[in-house]
Amino acid sequence: MKDQYIGDINDYRKYTLLRALARESGLRVGVCWMMTPNDSRTDGNKRLYLRQPNRWRHHDPDLFDELAALLSINSSPSISQVEALPSLQGMTYLNATVSDNLLERQAYMSAAKAALTGSELIFFDPDNGLNVGSIKKGNRNSSKYIYRDELVDFYKTGKSLLVYQHYPRIHRSTFEQSVSAELVAFCPDANVHIFATGNVAFFLIVHTFHDSLNQVAIRVGQQHTDDIFVHR
């Protein structure tokens, strides 16, 4: 996650989904932003939806209005300002920056475990998503990924997990099926749900401790139209 993406359409989608899952499940939600420094790219500047309230506002009116108000007074808000929004209260946040350095990353994950120990559902928000084979942990740009062994460590502590994932340039259904099967293999007895959008997906890994979250995921998917996300 980078500050420069705050308030874009994917941000609105992720907050809408998080709020819906928290509200419907009653689980305590923790958010690991996995912050990285801003760069010169403009691909995250997708805020035109805020000028189309008739299309987008009904998904989460309070959240929509708060994001619109925040960006009207500050075009470059910080993640701490997002955490302070009234609609996002009640969650626990870790907004420290992730490093490419292996030892610093290990310390970061230890800090995340400590900070989010009371959370039952943890959202990981890396820049790109799950790690790819070409970038080993500790290498340049590894901070843009969450690694599968890290997810397993959190799952083993009884947490359900939600992961932000950019689609790679392969057939999407093939990618979704492959990742889902892999996550189930890494997290025994878990159920995996996908909330798909035009450019990104959110993989929900439901721990056996939170079996009712499976029905919540289905219900949340039914409550929203396919322009914001599709449950499968």
Side-chain angles (χ1 to χ4, degrees):
M1 175 63 181
K2 300 181 187 297
D3 279 338
Q4 70 199 59
Y5 298 148
I6 289 174
D8 72 5
I9 184 60
N10 288 330
D11 235 26
Y12 181 54
R13 285 179 168 126
K14 76 178 69 165
Y15 303 152
T16 296
L17 177 58
L18 270 177
R19 277 170 45 81
L21 292 174
R23 181 175 60 249
E24 294 287 331
S25 71
L27 296 177
R28 298 186 299 274
V29 175
V31 178
C32 186
W33 292 122
M34 300 194 68
M35 298 299 296
T36 57
N38 287 350
D39 57 30
S40 59
R41 297 180 61 171
T42 60
D43 58 319
N45 190 20
K46 301 174 181 177
R47 296 172 175 170
L48 290 178
Y49 77 97
L50 291 169
R51 301 180 189 175
Q52 302 172 310
N54 290 338
R55 177 181 177 185
W56 295 104
R57 184 178 180 274
H58 70 279
H59 292 294
D60 195 324
D62 291 340
L63 175 62
F64 185 95
D65 292 346
E66 290 169 13
L67 287 172
L70 175 61
L71 289 166
S72 71
I73 60 174
N74 187 349
S75 62
S76 301
S78 68
I79 199 65
S80 60
Q81 289 175 297
V82 169
E83 294 174 357
L85 294 178
S87 62
L88 294 177
Q89 297 306 294
M91 302 183 192
T92 302
Y93 299 102
L94 178 71
N95 59 23
T97 299
V98 187
S99 171
D100 285 339
N101 178 275
L102 181 58
L103 292 179
E104 291 178 0
R105 184 186 183 98
Q106 291 171 343
Y108 177 93
M109 286 300 167
S110 294
K113 282 185 180 179
L116 305 176
T117 187
S119 301
E120 298 160 296
L121 170 61
I122 299 178
F123 173 50
F124 291 94
D125 194 17
D127 283 350
N128 292 351
L130 291 163
N131 65 290
V132 293
S134 60
I135 301 180
K136 294 183 179 180
K137 194 189 302 183
N139 286 2
R140 184 173 180 270
N141 289 327
S142 58
S143 57
K144 295 182 177 183
Y145 300 90
I146 180 74
Y147 284 74
R148 287 153 172 82
D149 64 303
E150 294 166 340
L151 291 178
V152 171
D153 284 345
F154 280 86
Y155 182 81
K156 285 181 176 178
T157 65
K159 313 297 185 186
S160 290
L161 312 171
L162 183 68
V163 182
Y164 178 92
Q165 174 68 57
H166 271 280
Y167 281 112
R169 294 179 180 177
I170 62 174
H171 196 279
R172 291 188 177 182
S173 62
T174 301
F175 176 72
E176 291 172 355
Q177 292 169 13
S178 174
V179 170
S180 294
E182 190 177 16
L183 291 174
V184 169
F186 277 114
C187 302
D189 301 318
N191 286 312
V192 176
H193 299 260
I194 304 166
F195 295 89
T197 79
N199 298 307
V200 305
F202 300 89
F203 285 87
L204 176 63
I205 306 164
V206 178
H207 199 283
T208 52
F209 289 173
H210 309 134
D211 186 64
S212 62
L213 186 56
N214 292 300
Q215 291 304 312
V216 167
I218 295 170
R219 191 159 63 246
V220 167
Q222 293 171 340
Q223 291 170 353
H224 293 83
T225 54
D226 59 4
D227 60 343
I228 191 161
F229 49 68
V230 177
H231 170 262
R232 48 180 176 256

